[in-house]
Amino acid sequence: MEQERQSDPLLAVEGVAVQRGGRPLLEGLNFLVGRGEVFSFVGMSGCGKSTLLRILLGMDRPAAGTVRLCGEDPAELLRKGGIAVPRTYGVLFQEGALWTSMTLLENVSLPIRSYAGLCEEDAADLAAFKLALVGLAGFENFYPNQISGGMARRAAIARAMALDPPLLFFDEPSTGLDPVTSRQLDELILQLRTCYGTAVVLVTHDLNSIRRVSDRVAFLDEESHSLLQIAPPEEIANQSPHRVVRDFFSVRSEPVTEGRRKMAKEST
């Protein structure tokens, strides 16, 4: 994967600086995300994770440096509009952000009808297929307020992947979910990676989820304003040379290797 990530990255960040209200948060960020990779950001609250995510999505400009999504400037993708964004990446925002006045089928078929040029019947068939992929077959005509929080997150994932983008961004996907539902969401992330080659950029505080699904973890450090370390979850949690990283991962959670190995086996 390392060679492929270097030669054909889905996400390339070079020399990026992040500011909030003119105050520097992060500087000199450099990393690549390859196809079929789950790449997680962690760090203390206020370190700049959410602000960085807005930059990666093209919603804000970096104070310095460049971001490329599939070779394109994400801000330019947004400016151009049309099919460029949903074909390049999908986003799962906190709480799912489904349209409450629409059924799950209507929510998922909306980007398909808007961008894929399919008739209403074909769009509905494709939307039903996407819902089935995330375990929601039979819930097509339910409204968001009629289902659980975990089901709403899965419906939002179906909508994010409606047009088969190679890259998905997940912003705190397990917030407010119970441990069992959060684990089911992790299984779905691993399924997307293993079965469909989808890359996922994950912003979360859930250490168990980070350990279970991540291929690599990036630690953002508020004090040094830097991306302090990028490493596989076992390495960054257990062998980091940085005290702040070791302290962050010292929170009690399930063993790294066994938990992640079991999740990977269950999802294939």
Side-chain angles (χ1 to χ4, degrees):
M1 177 177 285
E2 179 64 28
Q3 183 176 0
E4 181 180 354
R5 182 166 61 238
Q6 294 286 340
S7 61
D8 186 26
L10 291 176
L11 173 62
V13 173
E14 183 175 359
V16 162
V18 178
Q19 295 184 356
R20 182 191 297 135
R23 180 174 67 90
L25 293 177
L26 299 163
E27 298 174 339
L29 303 186
N30 296 282
F31 60 89
L32 304 173
V33 177
R35 298 180 185 277
E37 179 178 20
V38 180
F39 187 91
S40 298
F41 286 107
V42 299
M44 300 295 186
S45 296
C47 69
K49 296 187 298 294
S50 296
T51 307
L52 175 59
L53 181 61
R54 290 180 59 86
I55 290 173
L56 298 182
L57 297 175
M59 300 167 69
D60 291 329
R61 290 281 190 178
T66 60
V67 176
R68 291 288 182 269
L69 287 173
C70 298
E72 298 277 351
D73 181 338
E76 285 300 305
L77 288 174
L78 284 180
R79 187 186 64 81
K80 289 189 294 187
I83 194 63
V85 168
R87 283 292 191 196
T88 304
Y89 66 85
V91 186
L92 173 63
F93 294 103
Q94 290 188 40
E95 310 302 331
L98 295 172
W99 293 100
T100 57
S101 61
M102 295 181 176
T103 66
L104 300 189
L105 186 71
E106 290 168 339
N107 264 281
V108 178
S109 64
L110 182 61
I112 299 172
R113 288 189 288 106
S114 300
Y115 298 113
L118 297 181
C119 68
E120 186 170 344
E121 182 179 355
D122 289 343
D125 288 343
L126 182 55
F129 173 71
K130 297 296 182 180
L131 286 167
L133 288 180
V134 300
L136 290 175
F139 290 89
E140 294 85 357
N141 295 320
F142 281 62
Y143 287 86
N145 64 356
Q146 296 176 314
I147 59 177
S148 68
M151 294 170 71
R153 302 291 167 84
R154 282 187 276 153
I157 292 174
R159 185 180 61 184
M161 56 185 286
L163 296 177
D164 297 318
L167 178 62
L168 296 175
F169 291 90
F170 288 180
D171 184 17
E172 300 287 359
S174 60
T175 298
L177 301 182
D178 62 81
V180 173
T181 305
S182 178
R183 188 180 182 91
Q184 291 171 346
L185 193 61
D186 289 342
E187 292 174 356
L188 178 56
I189 291 173
L190 288 175
Q191 180 182 359
L192 292 174
R193 181 197 64 181
T194 303
C195 299
Y196 304 103
T198 307
V200 177
V201 174
L202 182 65
V203 176
T204 182
H205 285 94
D206 187 337
L207 293 186
N208 284 334
S209 179
I210 290 166
R211 293 165 180 256
R212 286 194 292 254
V213 306
S214 303
D215 292 297
R216 291 188 300 154
V217 182
F219 188 90
L220 303 176
D221 182 44
E222 182 180 15
E223 184 173 347
S224 64
H225 306 296
S226 69
L227 200 170
L228 201 57
Q229 184 179 4
I230 299 177
E234 299 90 344
E235 180 180 335
I236 199 168
N238 300 326
Q239 305 169 28
S240 175
H242 305 286
R243 174 67 180 271
V244 65
V245 179
R246 296 196 305 272
D247 288 347
F248 184 88
F249 281 94
S250 66
V251 176
R252 182 178 179 181
S253 53
E254 70 185 42
V256 175
T257 53
E258 286 304 314
R260 187 161 179 267
R261 187 180 301 120
K262 183 178 180 182
M263 284 294 301
K265 182 178 179 181
E266 290 175 352
S267 62
T268 55

